[in-house]
Amino acid sequence: MIRHAAPALLAAAILSALPCVPAARAADVVVMASGGMAASLRALAPDFARSGDHLVLVRGPSMGATSDAIPARLARGERCDVVAMVGGALDGLHAKGLVGAGTVMAMSPIGVVVRAGAPHPAIGTPDALRRTLLDAPSVAFSDSASGVYVSHDLFRRLGIEDQMRDKARMIPETPVAQIVAGGGAAIGFQQISEILPVKGAELVGPIPQSLQKLTPFAVAPCRDAPDPAGGRAFIRFLSSGTAREAMRSSGLDPVGRATP
């Protein structure tokens, strides 16, 4: 007569015969991000954590000469899974083989910032912006994409390049809004998504549409990524409706359509 094992013993026997499968382990997904995307990525960290992975955000400018700039970090061998930065600067890293091909996630407009509580100057038209800049005792702009445009094109297009030479200055690495909030400049220019998170500063608004320069922000996988699968999962996550809403709330304009 065949005897049947007790259910518990039978289950134990079956489990012991199965190959050993290691338990899933939460991983740190390292993302190097410039200021334009940093606020939205920081806000998204808890949502991404529900996937089982943990977002580690490393801040750095997309360009410039500082040691914390993303190109400098990668050039000296710092490793990451994803970069999130100005599209043009990312293209340069891709050409050097440091990152994969980029995917544009959002466009970022340039805004004007003043110290919290200060009167908001008129900037709604080119003429109004020109008068405001001529009247301002000091002006600050970043060393990244928005600042390059402001110093090389905007002042020239407004016909005030010579007048701004002695009172406008480039701010390396530190957010321009932070300099303005601390009284280091009366008025500043930077990506709106970099202005909004700074306490003590207030966004006046975007520069006039006829003068506006939209900057693409893109993401790409890093070469020799410690966790390439986690990096790919994070890039897919950035196309979700949740991620797009976070970008929009931070002052970015998401591109494309959300994934289901």
Side-chain angles (χ1 to χ4, degrees):
M1 183 177 68
I2 299 175
R3 298 180 62 184
H4 295 280
L9 294 176
L10 181 60
I14 293 173
L15 289 174
S16 65
L18 292 174
C20 181
V21 178
R25 182 182 63 84
D28 287 340
V29 177
V30 180
V31 178
M32 286 188 188
S34 62
M37 287 195 72
S40 60
L41 298 188
R42 191 180 301 112
L44 284 168
D47 291 290
F48 181 64
R50 295 191 183 99
S51 69
D53 289 338
H54 174 243
L55 173 64
V56 177
L57 193 61
V58 178
R59 287 282 305 273
S62 293
M63 57 189 74
T66 65
S67 61
D68 286 340
I70 292 174
R73 288 180 180 276
L74 295 180
R76 63 174 175 260
E78 289 191 33
R79 299 175 70 192
C80 63
D81 299 305
V82 176
V83 293
M85 58 192 292
V86 170
L90 189 153
D91 290 342
L93 296 179
H94 176 55
K96 294 177 180 179
L98 294 173
V99 302
T103 301
V104 175
M105 303 305 304
M107 304 298 289
S108 179
I110 298 171
V112 172
V113 60
V114 295
R115 191 173 186 176
H120 284 205
I123 63 167
T125 66
D127 284 342
L129 181 60
R130 181 186 298 109
R131 289 193 298 270
T132 288
L133 290 174
L134 291 174
D135 291 341
S138 55
V139 177
F141 54 89
S142 80
D143 65 344
S144 196
S146 62
V148 171
Y149 170 73
V150 167
S151 60
H152 288 75
D153 294 282
L154 179 63
F155 294 157
R156 176 182 54 78
R157 292 177 65 181
L158 290 172
I160 58 173
E161 194 172 16
D162 291 340
Q163 295 94 319
M164 300 305 295
R165 186 167 290 118
D166 293 332
K167 66 176 179 179
R169 65 187 180 106
M170 181 189 73
I171 306 298
E173 192 170 357
T174 303
V176 170
Q178 189 173 318
I179 298 297
V180 173
I187 190 170
F189 292 92
Q190 199 159 35
Q191 310 289 344
I192 289 177
S193 59
E194 295 187 66
I195 293 172
L196 293 178
V198 178
K199 294 181 179 180
E202 289 180 357
L203 173 68
V204 179
I207 64 175
Q209 189 64 37
S210 61
L211 298 171
Q212 186 60 260
K213 170 73 171 179
L214 295 175
T215 298
F217 276 81
V219 296
C222 298
R223 185 186 70 187
D224 301 327
D227 184 8
R232 290 191 296 271
F234 182 73
I235 291 174
R236 289 194 300 271
F237 171 72
L238 290 181
S239 294
S240 68
T242 298
R244 288 167 59 83
E245 184 54 39
M247 292 181 204
R248 192 173 290 109
S249 297
S250 75
L252 294 168
D253 181 17
V255 302
R257 298 178 60 183
T259 56

